[in-house]
Tab-separated table of all heavy atoms in Angstrom:
chain	number	residue	atom	x	y	z
A	1336	GLU	N	93.216	39.744	84.513
A	1336	GLU	CA	93.200	38.306	84.586
A	1336	GLU	C	92.249	37.713	83.554
A	1336	GLU	O	91.324	38.382	83.084
A	1336	GLU	CB	92.780	37.852	86.008
A	1336	GLU	CG	93.791	38.278	87.067
A	1336	GLU	CD	93.373	37.875	88.475
A	1336	GLU	OE1	92.246	37.368	88.647
A	1336	GLU	OE2	94.180	38.066	89.402
A	1337	GLU	N	92.476	36.457	83.200
A	1337	GLU	CA	91.631	35.815	82.193
A	1337	GLU	C	90.176	35.716	82.627
A	1337	GLU	O	89.258	35.630	81.782
A	1337	GLU	CB	92.166	34.421	81.862
A	1337	GLU	CG	93.535	34.406	81.190
A	1337	GLU	CD	93.533	35.155	79.858
A	1337	GLU	OE1	92.496	35.066	79.131
A	1337	GLU	OE2	94.511	35.824	79.552
A	1338	GLN	N	89.925	35.716	83.922
A	1338	GLN	CA	88.554	35.670	84.451
A	1338	GLN	C	87.985	37.045	84.714
A	1338	GLN	O	87.075	37.212	85.554
A	1338	GLN	CB	88.519	34.821	85.740
A	1338	GLN	CG	88.971	33.378	85.548
A	1338	GLN	CD	88.883	32.604	86.860
A	1338	GLN	OE1	87.808	32.240	87.301
A	1338	GLN	NE2	90.029	32.394	87.462
A	1339	ALA	N	88.468	38.059	84.031
A	1339	ALA	CA	88.048	39.432	84.290
A	1339	ALA	C	86.540	39.620	84.183
A	1339	ALA	O	85.930	40.317	85.007
A	1339	ALA	CB	88.754	40.385	83.333
A	1340	ASP	N	85.925	38.992	83.187
A	1340	ASP	CA	84.472	39.167	83.030
A	1340	ASP	C	83.720	38.510	84.179
A	1340	ASP	O	82.697	39.027	84.630
A	1340	ASP	CB	83.998	38.616	81.682
A	1340	ASP	CG	84.553	37.241	81.345
A	1340	ASP	OD1	85.246	36.651	82.187
A	1340	ASP	OD2	84.266	36.758	80.234
A	1341	ASP	N	84.201	37.362	84.678
A	1341	ASP	CA	83.579	36.721	85.843
A	1341	ASP	C	83.739	37.587	87.090
A	1341	ASP	O	82.799	37.745	87.891
A	1341	ASP	CB	84.171	35.349	86.098
A	1341	ASP	CG	83.895	34.378	84.963
A	1341	ASP	OD1	82.705	34.145	84.669
A	1341	ASP	OD2	84.849	33.875	84.345
A	1342	HIS	N	84.928	38.154	87.255
A	1342	HIS	CA	85.176	39.067	88.389
A	1342	HIS	C	84.231	40.262	88.336
A	1342	HIS	O	83.626	40.648	89.331
A	1342	HIS	CB	86.609	39.584	88.370
A	1342	HIS	CG	87.654	38.523	88.606
A	1342	HIS	ND1	87.445	37.427	89.419
A	1342	HIS	CD2	88.932	38.416	88.159
A	1342	HIS	CE1	88.532	36.686	89.440
A	1342	HIS	NE2	89.464	37.271	88.694
A	1343	PHE	N	84.064	40.831	87.156
A	1343	PHE	CA	83.234	41.998	86.979
A	1343	PHE	C	81.797	41.664	87.329
A	1343	PHE	O	81.101	42.425	88.021
A	1343	PHE	CB	83.325	42.478	85.521
A	1343	PHE	CG	82.693	43.817	85.266
A	1343	PHE	CD1	83.358	44.972	85.620
A	1343	PHE	CD2	81.450	43.907	84.675
A	1343	PHE	CE1	82.780	46.217	85.407
A	1343	PHE	CE2	80.859	45.133	84.448
A	1343	PHE	CZ	81.541	46.300	84.792
A	1344	SER	N	81.314	40.520	86.833
A	1344	SER	CA	79.962	40.091	87.126
A	1344	SER	C	79.727	39.911	88.621
A	1344	SER	O	78.681	40.289	89.162
A	1344	SER	CB	79.664	38.782	86.373
A	1344	SER	OG	78.309	38.395	86.524
A	1345	HIS	N	80.730	39.350	89.303
A	1345	HIS	CA	80.630	39.121	90.727
A	1345	HIS	C	80.492	40.430	91.503
A	1345	HIS	O	79.682	40.565	92.412
A	1345	HIS	CB	81.875	38.357	91.203
A	1345	HIS	CG	81.766	37.806	92.572
A	1345	HIS	ND1	82.761	37.044	93.149
A	1345	HIS	CD2	80.797	37.906	93.529
A	1345	HIS	CE1	82.398	36.692	94.375
A	1345	HIS	NE2	81.206	37.204	94.630
A	1346	VAL	N	81.274	41.436	91.084
A	1346	VAL	CA	81.201	42.730	91.757
A	1346	VAL	C	79.855	43.410	91.533
A	1346	VAL	O	79.272	44.004	92.444
A	1346	VAL	CB	82.362	43.652	91.284
A	1346	VAL	CG1	82.267	45.022	91.923
A	1346	VAL	CG2	83.714	43.025	91.621
A	1347	LEU	N	79.341	43.331	90.309
A	1347	LEU	CA	78.044	43.938	90.021
A	1347	LEU	C	76.947	43.269	90.868
A	1347	LEU	O	76.003	43.938	91.328
A	1347	LEU	CB	77.706	43.821	88.530
A	1347	LEU	CG	78.507	44.677	87.572
A	1347	LEU	CD1	77.964	44.500	86.158
A	1347	LEU	CD2	78.455	46.146	87.979
A	1348	HIS	N	77.035	41.969	91.085
A	1348	HIS	CA	76.088	41.264	91.932
A	1348	HIS	C	76.142	41.818	93.357
A	1348	HIS	O	75.087	42.056	94.008
A	1348	HIS	CB	76.406	39.759	91.954
A	1348	HIS	CG	75.801	39.018	93.080
A	1348	HIS	ND1	74.419	38.827	93.210
A	1348	HIS	CD2	76.370	38.426	94.176
A	1348	HIS	CE1	74.180	38.131	94.319
A	1348	HIS	NE2	75.330	37.883	94.925
A	1349	ALA	N	77.352	42.062	93.860
A	1349	ALA	CA	77.496	42.587	95.217
A	1349	ALA	C	76.973	44.022	95.301
A	1349	ALA	O	76.416	44.417	96.341
A	1349	ALA	CB	78.965	42.538	95.639
A	1350	MET	N	77.102	44.776	94.237
A	1350	MET	CA	76.633	46.164	94.230
A	1350	MET	C	75.124	46.235	94.131
A	1350	MET	O	74.485	47.131	94.736
A	1350	MET	CB	77.256	46.921	93.050
A	1350	MET	CG	78.727	47.204	93.194
A	1350	MET	SD	79.383	48.056	91.704
A	1350	MET	CE	78.484	49.624	91.759
A	1351	ASN	N	74.529	45.354	93.354
A	1351	ASN	CA	73.096	45.430	93.089
A	1351	ASN	C	72.494	44.007	93.024
A	1351	ASN	O	72.164	43.507	91.952
A	1351	ASN	CB	72.853	46.180	91.782
A	1351	ASN	CG	71.408	46.543	91.590
A	1351	ASN	OD1	70.511	46.078	92.288
A	1351	ASN	ND2	71.150	47.391	90.576
A	1352	PRO	N	72.332	43.367	94.185
A	1352	PRO	CA	71.867	41.972	94.197
A	1352	PRO	C	70.431	41.815	93.712
A	1352	PRO	O	70.050	40.723	93.273
A	1352	PRO	CB	71.989	41.585	95.664
A	1352	PRO	CG	71.981	42.864	96.425
A	1352	PRO	CD	72.651	43.848	95.538
A	1353	GLU	N	69.630	42.877	93.752
A	1353	GLU	CA	68.252	42.754	93.251
A	1353	GLU	C	68.237	42.645	91.742
A	1353	GLU	O	67.380	41.959	91.169
A	1353	GLU	CB	67.435	43.955	93.720
A	1353	GLU	CG	67.190	43.985	95.223
A	1353	GLU	CD	66.258	45.126	95.626
A	1353	GLU	OE1	65.826	45.882	94.724
A	1353	GLU	OE2	65.988	45.258	96.827
A	1354	ARG	N	69.149	43.343	91.090
A	1354	ARG	CA	69.209	43.310	89.612
A	1354	ARG	C	70.004	42.103	89.146
A	1354	ARG	O	69.622	41.440	88.183
A	1354	ARG	CB	69.810	44.591	89.097
A	1354	ARG	CG	69.844	44.648	87.586
A	1354	ARG	CD	70.313	46.012	87.102
A	1354	ARG	NE	70.224	46.102	85.654
A	1354	ARG	CZ	70.584	47.191	84.973
A	1354	ARG	NH1	71.030	48.252	85.607
A	1354	ARG	NH2	70.491	47.204	83.662
A	1355	TYR	N	71.133	41.839	89.789
A	1355	TYR	CA	71.993	40.724	89.429
A	1355	TYR	C	71.919	39.691	90.571
A	1355	TYR	O	72.690	39.782	91.533
A	1355	TYR	CB	73.421	41.195	89.174
A	1355	TYR	CG	73.529	42.300	88.137
A	1355	TYR	CD1	73.799	43.613	88.514
A	1355	TYR	CD2	73.348	42.010	86.786
A	1355	TYR	CE1	73.880	44.623	87.561
A	1355	TYR	CE2	73.436	43.017	85.827
A	1355	TYR	CZ	73.701	44.331	86.216
A	1355	TYR	OH	73.777	45.326	85.275
A	1356	ARG	N	70.999	38.766	90.447
A	1356	ARG	CA	70.665	37.896	91.581
A	1356	ARG	C	71.772	36.902	91.927
A	1356	ARG	O	71.883	36.467	93.056
A	1356	ARG	CB	69.380	37.124	91.276
A	1356	ARG	CG	68.165	38.055	91.152
A	1356	ARG	CD	66.879	37.272	90.914
A	1356	ARG	NE	65.748	38.168	90.794
A	1356	ARG	CZ	65.063	38.658	91.820
A	1356	ARG	NH1	65.438	38.311	93.047
A	1356	ARG	NH2	64.055	39.456	91.646
A	1357	ASP	N	72.604	36.543	90.941
A	1357	ASP	CA	73.708	35.619	91.183
A	1357	ASP	C	75.021	36.259	90.740
A	1357	ASP	O	75.026	37.168	89.895
A	1357	ASP	CB	73.493	34.322	90.423
A	1357	ASP	CG	72.189	33.629	90.808
A	1357	ASP	OD1	72.050	33.300	91.996
A	1357	ASP	OD2	71.325	33.459	89.920
A	1358	PRO	N	76.157	35.777	91.244
A	1358	PRO	CA	77.450	36.331	90.831
A	1358	PRO	C	77.709	36.240	89.324
A	1358	PRO	O	78.513	36.994	88.796
A	1358	PRO	CB	78.454	35.475	91.626
A	1358	PRO	CG	77.712	35.064	92.841
A	1358	PRO	CD	76.293	34.815	92.355
A	1359	THR	N	77.029	35.312	88.665
A	1359	THR	CA	77.252	35.172	87.211
A	1359	THR	C	76.127	35.784	86.359
A	1359	THR	O	76.114	35.623	85.151
A	1359	THR	CB	77.373	33.668	86.840
A	1359	THR	OG1	76.159	32.997	87.198
A	1359	THR	CG2	78.564	33.041	87.544
A	1360	SER	N	75.205	36.488	86.988
A	1360	SER	CA	74.035	36.993	86.262
A	1360	SER	C	74.427	37.936	85.133
A	1360	SER	O	73.907	37.842	84.017
A	1360	SER	CB	73.078	37.700	87.230
A	1360	SER	OG	72.478	36.797	88.109
A	1361	TRP	N	75.327	38.842	85.410
A	1361	TRP	CA	75.701	39.831	84.375
A	1361	TRP	C	76.350	39.140	83.181
A	1361	TRP	O	75.968	39.392	82.043
A	1361	TRP	CB	76.637	40.883	84.951
A	1361	TRP	CG	77.031	41.902	83.946
A	1361	TRP	CD1	76.330	43.016	83.571
A	1361	TRP	CD2	78.223	41.938	83.141
A	1361	TRP	NE1	76.982	43.738	82.585
A	1361	TRP	CE2	78.157	43.084	82.303
A	1361	TRP	CE3	79.332	41.091	83.036
A	1361	TRP	CZ2	79.147	43.402	81.386
A	1361	TRP	CZ3	80.334	41.407	82.124
A	1361	TRP	CH2	80.236	42.552	81.303
A	1362	ILE	N	77.310	38.268	83.423
A	1362	ILE	CA	78.023	37.642	82.311
A	1362	ILE	C	77.122	36.674	81.576
A	1362	ILE	O	77.166	36.544	80.353
A	1362	ILE	CB	79.313	36.928	82.809
A	1362	ILE	CG1	80.162	36.501	81.624
A	1362	ILE	CG2	79.010	35.766	83.696
A	1362	ILE	CD1	80.643	37.633	80.753
A	1363	ASP	N	76.200	36.000	82.308
A	1363	ASP	CA	75.258	35.079	81.635
A	1363	ASP	C	74.312	35.846	80.711
A	1363	ASP	O	73.947	35.354	79.640
A	1363	ASP	CB	74.437	34.311	82.668
A	1363	ASP	CG	75.264	33.271	83.400
A	1363	ASP	OD1	76.379	32.945	82.927
A	1363	ASP	OD2	74.796	32.788	84.469
A	1364	SER	N	73.933	37.043	81.112
A	1364	SER	CA	72.994	37.827	80.303
A	1364	SER	C	73.616	38.326	79.013
A	1364	SER	O	72.911	38.741	78.092
A	1364	SER	CB	72.478	39.021	81.103
A	1364	SER	OG	73.497	39.976	81.330
A	1365	ARG	N	74.950	38.278	78.938
A	1365	ARG	CA	75.640	38.739	77.744
A	1365	ARG	C	76.274	37.609	76.963
A	1365	ARG	O	77.147	37.839	76.119
A	1365	ARG	CB	76.693	39.784	78.140
A	1365	ARG	CG	76.050	41.142	78.385
A	1365	ARG	CD	76.777	41.966	79.426
A	1365	ARG	NE	76.113	43.250	79.591
A	1365	ARG	CZ	74.987	43.418	80.303
A	1365	ARG	NH1	74.434	42.409	80.933
A	1365	ARG	NH2	74.437	44.631	80.410
A	1366	ALA	N	75.855	36.420	77.216
A	1366	ALA	CA	76.377	35.266	76.468
A	1366	ALA	C	76.121	35.441	74.987
A	1366	ALA	O	75.005	35.754	74.550
A	1366	ALA	CB	75.695	33.989	76.957
A	1367	GLY	N	77.162	35.274	74.198
A	1367	GLY	CA	77.050	35.424	72.743
A	1367	GLY	C	77.350	36.817	72.248
A	1367	GLY	O	77.559	37.016	71.033
A	1368	SER	N	77.389	37.790	73.144
A	1368	SER	CA	77.739	39.141	72.709
A	1368	SER	C	79.241	39.224	72.469
A	1368	SER	O	80.032	38.609	73.165
A	1368	SER	CB	77.349	40.169	73.785
A	1368	SER	OG	75.948	40.144	73.997
A	1369	ARG	N	79.637	40.018	71.453
A	1369	ARG	CA	81.047	40.097	71.128
A	1369	ARG	C	81.549	41.521	70.943
A	1369	ARG	O	82.662	41.832	71.279
A	1369	ARG	CB	81.362	39.322	69.850
A	1369	ARG	CG	81.151	37.847	69.939
A	1369	ARG	CD	81.573	37.171	68.656
A	1369	ARG	NE	80.845	37.695	67.521
A	1369	ARG	CZ	81.131	37.393	66.243
A	1369	ARG	NH1	82.130	36.615	65.970
A	1369	ARG	NH2	80.394	37.894	65.273
A	1370	THR	N	80.717	42.390	70.409
A	1370	THR	CA	81.249	43.665	69.950
A	1370	THR	C	80.945	44.846	70.841
A	1370	THR	O	81.637	45.855	70.783
A	1370	THR	CB	80.724	43.987	68.530
A	1370	THR	OG1	79.278	44.014	68.580
A	1370	THR	CG2	81.178	42.956	67.543
A	1371	GLY	N	79.909	44.788	71.670
A	1371	GLY	CA	79.616	45.927	72.515
A	1371	GLY	C	79.433	47.179	71.722
A	1371	GLY	O	78.659	47.246	70.763
A	1372	ALA	N	80.178	48.249	72.105
A	1372	ALA	CA	80.022	49.549	71.470
A	1372	ALA	C	80.590	49.566	70.046
A	1372	ALA	O	80.501	50.583	69.377
A	1372	ALA	CB	80.700	50.628	72.298
A	1373	GLY	N	81.183	48.441	69.596
A	1373	GLY	CA	81.774	48.451	68.263
A	1373	GLY	C	80.790	48.177	67.147
A	1373	GLY	O	81.198	47.913	66.029
A	1374	THR	N	79.513	48.245	67.429
A	1374	THR	CA	78.536	47.910	66.397
A	1374	THR	C	78.374	48.979	65.357
A	1374	THR	O	77.891	48.720	64.277
A	1374	THR	CB	77.170	47.622	67.036
A	1374	THR	OG1	76.775	48.710	67.879
A	1374	THR	CG2	77.244	46.359	67.896
A	1375	SER	N	78.719	50.233	65.636
A	1375	SER	CA	78.602	51.292	64.638
A	1375	SER	C	79.710	52.297	64.831
A	1375	SER	O	80.277	52.437	65.929
A	1375	SER	CB	77.244	51.985	64.746
A	1375	SER	OG	77.211	52.883	65.855
A	1376	VAL	N	80.002	53.021	63.772
A	1376	VAL	CA	81.020	54.071	63.826
A	1376	VAL	C	80.642	55.133	64.842
A	1376	VAL	O	81.466	55.583	65.633
A	1376	VAL	CB	81.240	54.691	62.422
A	1376	VAL	CG1	82.082	55.943	62.527
A	1376	VAL	CG2	81.864	53.665	61.494
A	1377	ARG	N	79.387	55.545	64.811
A	1377	ARG	CA	78.957	56.624	65.739
A	1377	ARG	C	79.117	56.215	67.186
A	1377	ARG	O	79.580	57.005	68.021
A	1377	ARG	CB	77.517	56.993	65.438
A	1377	ARG	CG	76.941	58.052	66.381
A	1377	ARG	CD	75.679	58.662	65.847
A	1377	ARG	NE	75.922	59.375	64.595
A	1377	ARG	CZ	74.989	60.051	63.931
A	1377	ARG	NH1	73.748	60.080	64.378
A	1377	ARG	NH2	75.302	60.684	62.809
């Protein structure tokens, strides 16, 4: 779904509420990121 990243963030919050205090904590912490593991060939 188009909201896959929001869904993912919500699940991580439920798994670890101490680290991800809100349902949007994970996705908010990655605002502006685009490439992930694509930053280098290795």
